[in-house]
Amino acid sequence: MRKKLSTAARKEAQLEGAALPGRNSAQQRELGAQDEQNGLEILASNRYSLLTNQTPDGESDPSALVAAGHNVLRKKMSNLTTITEFLLLGFPEMRELQILHFVVFLVVYLAALVGNLLIITAIALDRHLHTPMYFFLMNLSIIDIGSISFAIPKSMANSLMNTRSISYAGCIAQVFFLPLLMGTDIFLLTVMAYDHYVAFCQPLHYERVMNKGACVQMAAGAWASSVLNSALHNGNMLAISFCRVNKVDQFFCEIPQLLKFTCSDSYVIETGLIVCNVGLLLICFFFIIVSYVQIIITVLRNTSEQGRHKAFSTCLPHLTVVSLFTSTGGFAYLKPISSSTSRLDLVVAVLYTVVPPGPRFVLDSGQLPWLG
């Protein structure tokens, strides 16, 4: 293009020189250089018009401007979702305290893991324990193993290696498993409360109501509904864009902490899901409380001292775990999100992820004939 313009300028200069014989060769070269410069300016102007989506007369092309805006938006969104890892909150700063944290968590993890495996093995091997209560108890032990395993090993490894990083895929996996395990846990605890209610308040109908098929259906429903709920959370979190901030103020990837640095409107949907989940949690907790109140009233009226002891030893462990789990979990997800790190958030997270599997093993093992 530049060569064509310069050639045209030279021809025009030659014609002008021929028309004006009084001009010398130096003047002709000067005129040719000026024409070539003018041609380059015209070319640059055309290129600028193309880049700014303007027509030669200075008017903007609306469709081109919209397309350019979409391209810029796509580039910005691609820049927002380039986070490949997150930095988790470390418990201590001193190396000695990091080792102490590793040892404490290791002891708690191994105790809960071995204890719940013992419960599962005992129930599976003893045919006398193939009853609805022990069937649900085995499911709760499986949940406890998952609850203690989805975040604690990673936290221990970070303390041992003096690092805080977790991959994006690992963080999303934690986001999936936490609602899954929490949801299944509260659903099964609600089913167990109903099982206890039928056993103590309607014993003549127990075999008909809590038959094997009904127990399997209720357990499968609890797991399936929790998987669906967790998939909704996970899909929504994958659609959320993060503002290049990757510091999570928690020792695992907790959804409220991740929502603190989102850059898209998808967090509104996730907040709605959290509110619905907490509402469902409170409904289950209310149903559990009503069931155990009915059990206590029935036991105090109609049973002997030995019957009362059996009823309280059966119901109080589950009521204790439910109260701890519901209060701490509900607080963690309903508390307003703060931009600063709070030690209270850390304590609450430990209470609803690390603590319940431990004491539940101790409380539930007392109900097994040859472990209690």
Side-chain angles (χ1 to χ4, degrees), residues 21-59:
R23 291 184 177 177
N24 55 25
S25 59
Q27 290 176 334
Q28 291 178 2
R29 286 194 300 271
E30 182 179 355
L31 289 174
Q34 291 178 355
D35 291 337
E36 184 175 0
Q37 181 66 28
N38 292 335
L40 291 174
E41 290 177 357
I42 293 172
L43 178 62
S45 177
N46 291 334
R47 288 180 177 176
Y48 175 78
S49 299
L50 291 174
L51 291 174
T52 56
N53 301 295
Q54 289 184 342
T55 56
D57 56 356
E59 295 181 358

Side-chain angles (χ1 to χ4, degrees), residues 122-198:
I123 296 174
L125 296 180
D126 192 345
R127 291 188 176 182
H128 295 93
L129 301 180
H130 293 179
T131 62
M133 184 183 72
Y134 292 112
F135 171 73
F136 294 124
L137 190 62
M138 184 172 65
N139 278 267
L140 287 176
S141 294
I142 296 173
I143 294 173
D144 285 345
I145 292 175
S147 299
I148 204 75
S149 300
F150 89 97
I152 301 304
K154 180 60 180 177
S155 180
M156 291 191 302
N158 284 353
S159 293
L160 188 62
M161 296 184 295
N162 194 21
T163 183
R164 299 169 53 193
S165 65
I166 181 173
S167 66
Y168 181 84
C171 185
I172 293 300
Q174 290 187 352
V175 169
F176 176 79
F177 282 108
L178 181 59
L180 169 63
L181 297 170
M182 289 181 63
T184 310
D185 199 351
I186 191 63
F187 288 149
L188 287 177
L189 288 172
T190 306
V191 172
M192 288 191 71
Y194 178 69
D195 171 75
H196 293 155
Y197 168 78
V198 177

Side-chain angles (χ1 to χ4, degrees), residues 137-296:
L137 190 62
M138 184 172 65
N139 278 267
L140 287 176
S141 294
I142 296 173
I143 294 173
D144 285 345
I145 292 175
S147 299
I148 204 75
S149 300
F150 89 97
I152 301 304
K154 180 60 180 177
S155 180
M156 291 191 302
N158 284 353
S159 293
L160 188 62
M161 296 184 295
N162 194 21
T163 183
R164 299 169 53 193
S165 65
I166 181 173
S167 66
Y168 181 84
C171 185
I172 293 300
Q174 290 187 352
V175 169
F176 176 79
F177 282 108
L178 181 59
L180 169 63
L181 297 170
M182 289 181 63
T184 310
D185 199 351
I186 191 63
F187 288 149
L188 287 177
L189 288 172
T190 306
V191 172
M192 288 191 71
Y194 178 69
D195 171 75
H196 293 155
Y197 168 78
V198 177
F200 286 100
C201 300
Q202 299 178 358
L204 298 178
H205 301 282
Y206 185 79
E207 294 292 337
R208 179 179 59 85
V209 175
M210 301 301 297
N211 57 74
K212 183 178 180 180
C215 293
V216 172
Q217 289 177 2
M218 286 187 283
W223 282 100
S225 58
S226 297
V227 168
L228 177 60
N229 176 62
S230 185
L232 291 175
H233 282 287
N234 215 47
N236 195 58
M237 292 302 296
L238 287 172
I240 287 178
S241 301
F242 299 103
C243 301
R244 291 191 176 277
V245 179
N246 63 344
K247 182 181 177 182
V248 182
D249 294 328
Q250 193 55 271
F251 70 96
F252 62 94
C253 288
E254 189 181 44
I255 293 177
Q257 297 298 329
L258 294 176
L259 293 179
K260 289 166 60 172
F261 45 89
T262 58
C263 296
S264 60
D265 293 335
S266 299
Y267 80 94
V268 178
I269 302 176
E270 182 61 28
T271 303
L273 286 174
I274 291 175
V275 172
C276 292
N277 286 172
V278 174
L280 188 59
L281 173 69
L282 295 177
I283 292 174
C284 292
F285 181 68
F286 176 77
F287 184 84
I288 292 171
I289 294 298
V290 170
S291 299
Y292 284 127
V293 167
Q294 292 293 327
I295 291 173
I296 293 172

